[in-house]
Amino acid sequence: MNLENRKRELVKEFSPMLEKTTKVSKIWMGILVAVILVGIYAFFLQLFKGHEVTGMRDNVVWGVYIINFIFFVCLSYSGAFISGILHFFKTPWKNSVSRIVEIITVLSLIIGPIFILLCIGRLDRLHYLFLYPRIQSPITWDIIAIMTDLVGCFIYLYLTFIPDLAILRDNSENAPKWRQKLYKFLAIGYQDTTEQRETLHKITKTMSAMIIALAIVAYSVLAWIFSLTLQPGWNSSIFAPYFIIAGLYSGVSVIIVAMFLIRKYYHLEHYIRKVHFVSGGIILLIISLLYGYFTFSEYFSRWFSHKIQDTNLLNTLFTRYFWQFVLANYVGVLVPVVILFFKKFRTIKSITFASVIAILGLWLNRYLIVVPTLETPYLPIQDTRPEFIHYTATWVEWALSFTGVAAFILFFILIMKLVPVIPMSGIIDQEREALDKKGKTNQTITE
C-alpha cells in the first residue's frame, strides 16, 4: 500500500465535508446564529436589569443556569473519561467515535462554566474570585479543576489533530490559501516519521491516563459543592460516585445521538456502523442500571430516615414536582433499560431514541436535585409571596439556555469544517497495522 496515495484518497473523500456547505447547512447555521443573537439580547437585558428578569430570588438562588452548568461539565468530564479509555486501551472501534468524543469534551468545558457567570449578580467583581480565593471552599477547587481540565483536554485534542493537519497540509493543493497556511501552521512541522509517530503516541497515551484521573477527581469536586452542605437533598455521602455515573450516563447518550446525526447527515455509514451503536447501547444499558441503583439508594435512604427535613423535601417532590419526578426517575431510567435490554430492540434508531430519553431524564433529574431543595430550606421562608417561595424560569433563562446548546452545535459544525470528524490518521494506522500483521503471518508461513 502506498501511504501517500492513500492519504490523497482520504483527503479527496473528506474534502466535500470540509470545503462545501450545502443549503441545508446554511439554513441550520442561520437558525443557530439567530438563537445565539436572541441569547445575547437576553444576556444584556439581565446584565443591565439584574436577576429580577430571572426566576431566581433570595431563597432559590440557583435555577436552570446551574443545572445547565452541571449538565455540560458532567458531559465534558464523561467525554474526557471515555476518550481517555478509548486511547489508553486501544479500543478497536475508537477511530470512528474518538474525535466526536474529544470535540464534545472541549466544547462542553468551554460552554458549561459560562452558565456559572450568569448566576453571578455582580460580574464586575468576578476577578475577586481569582485574587482572593478561599482554599477551604469547594467552589475554589472546582474552578481550579475546571481550568486544569480545560487546558489538559485542549492539549489532548490538539495532539490528536496534528497527524490529520499534516495530511491536509500536504494534500490540499486545491484548497483556499488561508486553509493551506492554517494547516501548515497548526501541523507544527509534523512529517509522520516513525520516530515522530512513536513520540506522539507516547505523549497521547500519557495524556489519556492523566485525563481519566483528572475527570474522576474534577467531577468529584463538583459533587462536593453540594454534598458538603447541610441542605436536605444535598448532604449525601454517595454524591461523588453518583455524579460520576450520571456523567457517564449523559456522556454516552450524547455521543450516541451525535453519532446518529453525523452518520446520517454526512453519509458516513461506512465508518460509523451498527456495531458502534450496539456497543454504545450495551454500555449505556450497564450505566443506566448503575445510575438507577444510585438514584433509588439516594431517595430510599432519605425516605427511610424519617428526618423532618428529608420528609419535607420528599413531600415537595411527590406533590409539586410529581410528574417531573416520574419523568426523570422512572421514564428516564426504565425506558432506556427496556429498549436496550432486549436484543431485538437494539436498532440504530431505537438506541438513539433511548439516548434522547436518557439525556432529557438526566437534565430533569438535575433540576429536581437543585430547585426543590432550595424551596425547602431548614429555616422557614419569611416572605410568603409565591414568586419568592417557588421558582419558575423566565424566558431570559430559557433563551440563554438554548443559546448554550446552539453555540455548542455551531462550534461543533465549524470544527468539522477544519478537520474530518473521522480521523484520517487512524484509518492509515489501522491499514498499516493490518499490513504489518499480514507480513508477519506470511513470514511465519514461509519459515
Side-chain angles (χ1 to χ4, degrees):
M1 179 183 70
N2 189 312
L3 291 180
E4 295 305 318
N5 289 338
R6 182 58 177 144
K7 289 178 181 178
R8 280 192 289 271
E9 290 174 2
L10 289 172
V11 171
K12 185 177 180 180
E13 179 182 354
F14 289 109
S15 287
M17 185 190 305
L18 301 176
E19 299 175 3
K20 294 181 180 179
T21 304
T22 63
K23 187 177 181 180
V24 176
S25 295
K26 292 179 180 178
I27 293 173
W28 271 110
M29 292 174 71
I31 293 172
L32 295 174
V33 171
V35 173
I36 293 172
L37 290 176
V38 173
I40 292 173
Y41 170 74
F43 169 74
F44 280 107
L45 191 66
Q46 178 179 317
L47 184 64
F48 292 117
K49 291 192 175 182
H51 279 182
E52 69 175 20
V53 299
T54 72
M56 295 182 287
R57 294 296 182 265
D58 291 345
N59 296 294
V60 184
V61 293
W62 284 345
V64 295
Y65 292 153
I66 196 70
I67 297 160
N68 294 331
F69 164 72
I70 297 170
F71 182 83
F72 274 105
V73 174
C74 155
L75 182 59
S76 69
Y77 290 153
S78 63
F81 183 84
I82 294 167
S83 179
I85 292 292
L86 290 174
H87 279 277
F88 190 80
F89 292 102
K90 297 182 180 180
T91 310
W93 45 274
K94 76 178 181 64
N95 195 62
S96 298
V97 299
S98 60
R99 183 152 293 165
I100 297 174
V101 178
E102 292 154 6
I103 295 174
I104 287 173
T105 300
V106 174
L107 290 181
S108 299
L109 266 179
I110 294 172
I111 293 173
I114 294 175
F115 284 105
I116 281 291
L117 302 181
L118 299 176
C119 285
I120 299 175
R122 294 291 300 272
L123 285 174
D124 56 306
R125 299 181 179 181
L126 179 64
H127 59 286
Y128 291 151
L129 196 60
F130 301 93
L131 293 177
Y132 311 109
R134 291 184 68 249
I135 205 67
Q136 304 95 325
S137 172
I139 296 178
T140 300
W141 284 103
D142 195 40
I143 293 170
I144 295 172
I146 290 174
M147 294 180 66
T148 305
D149 197 30
L150 178 59
V151 173
C153 289
F154 184 81
I155 294 173
Y156 182 64
L157 178 67
Y158 177 60
L159 289 173
T160 61
F161 273 20
I162 290 176
D164 274 18
L165 292 169
I167 293 173
L168 292 166
R169 175 200 61 198
D170 299 333
N171 299 277
S172 298
E173 298 84 2
N174 299 324
K177 291 293 182 182
W178 68 267
R179 273 187 180 271
Q180 296 180 28
K181 291 179 180 179
L182 183 63
Y183 291 143
K184 183 178 180 180
F185 175 75
L186 294 177
I188 58 175
Y190 184 80
Q191 298 297 331
D192 198 30
T193 63
T194 303
E195 183 180 358
Q196 287 181 335
R197 197 160 50 245
E198 290 178 355
T199 302
L200 185 62
H201 173 71
K202 289 179 182 177
I203 296 173
T204 306
K205 189 172 183 179
T206 302
M207 285 293 297
S208 66
M210 293 172 59
I211 289 295
I212 294 171
L214 187 60
I216 295 174
V217 172
Y219 208 57
S220 296
V221 172
L222 179 60
W224 291 337
I225 291 178
F226 294 89
S227 63
L228 295 181
T229 69
L230 295 177
Q231 286 278 10
W234 292 355
N235 187 11
S236 171
S237 60
I238 67 169
F239 250 37
Y242 184 26
F243 269 47
I244 291 172
I245 293 297
L248 292 174
Y249 191 49
S250 65
V252 174
S253 300
V254 171
I255 290 166
I256 291 174
V257 174
M259 285 167 52
F260 177 82
L261 295 175
I262 292 169
R263 178 181 188 266
K264 186 177 182 62
Y265 183 75
Y266 290 105
H267 305 290
L268 296 174
E269 292 83 0
H270 179 65
Y271 295 103
I272 305 176
R273 302 187 300 275
K274 183 179 178 179
V275 64
H276 299 117
F277 286 91
V278 173
S279 300
I282 293 173
I283 294 171
L284 184 62
L285 172 62
I286 296 170
I287 297 173
S288 64
L289 292 172
L290 290 171
Y291 172 68
Y293 168 74
F294 273 97
T295 302
F296 171 78
S297 298
E298 180 66 21
Y299 285 113
F300 178 76
S301 61
R302 297 193 183 284
W303 172 78
F304 198 75
S305 68
H306 297 292
K307 294 180 182 178
I308 186 63
Q309 293 85 5
D310 289 337
T311 301
N312 291 337
L313 175 60
L314 291 176
N315 287 337
T316 301
L317 288 171
F318 294 150
T319 54
R320 176 171 166 79
Y321 294 98
F322 175 77
W323 288 112
Q324 293 93 322
F325 185 86
V326 170
L327 291 173
N329 299 312
Y330 287 89
V331 176
V333 177
L334 296 180
V335 170
V337 168
V338 171
I339 292 174
L340 300 171
F341 186 81
F342 298 98
K343 188 175 181 179
K344 64 179 180 179
F345 291 159
R346 292 179 198 154
T347 63
I348 293 176
K349 290 184 179 180
S350 63
I351 292 173
T352 305
F353 175 74
S355 301
V356 172
I357 296 297
I359 293 169
L360 296 176
L362 184 67
W363 189 93
L364 197 54
N365 176 272
R366 291 293 172 262
Y367 188 95
L368 295 178
I369 287 177
V370 174
V371 175
T373 292
L374 293 173
E375 290 183 348
T376 53
Y378 273 112
L379 296 177
I381 299 175
Q382 301 302 314
D383 197 324
T384 57
R385 284 177 291 178
E387 64 269 20
F388 274 66
I389 297 176
H390 304 302
Y391 168 80
T392 302
T394 64
W395 76 266
V396 171
E397 293 171 278
W398 289 119
L400 287 167
S401 298
F402 287 118
T403 296
V405 177
F408 178 89
I409 298 172
L410 181 61
F411 287 138
F412 200 110
I413 293 172
L414 293 177
I415 291 174
M416 288 194 296
K417 288 292 180 182
L418 178 65
V419 291
V421 73
I422 305 296
M424 296 182 293
S425 57
I427 298 172
I428 297 290
D429 290 341
Q430 287 177 349
E431 293 178 356
R432 185 187 288 117
E433 290 176 5
L435 284 175
D436 290 342
K437 289 180 180 179
K438 185 177 179 181
K440 290 179 181 179
T441 302
N442 291 337
Q443 184 180 358
T444 304
I445 293 172
T446 303
E447 292 174 354

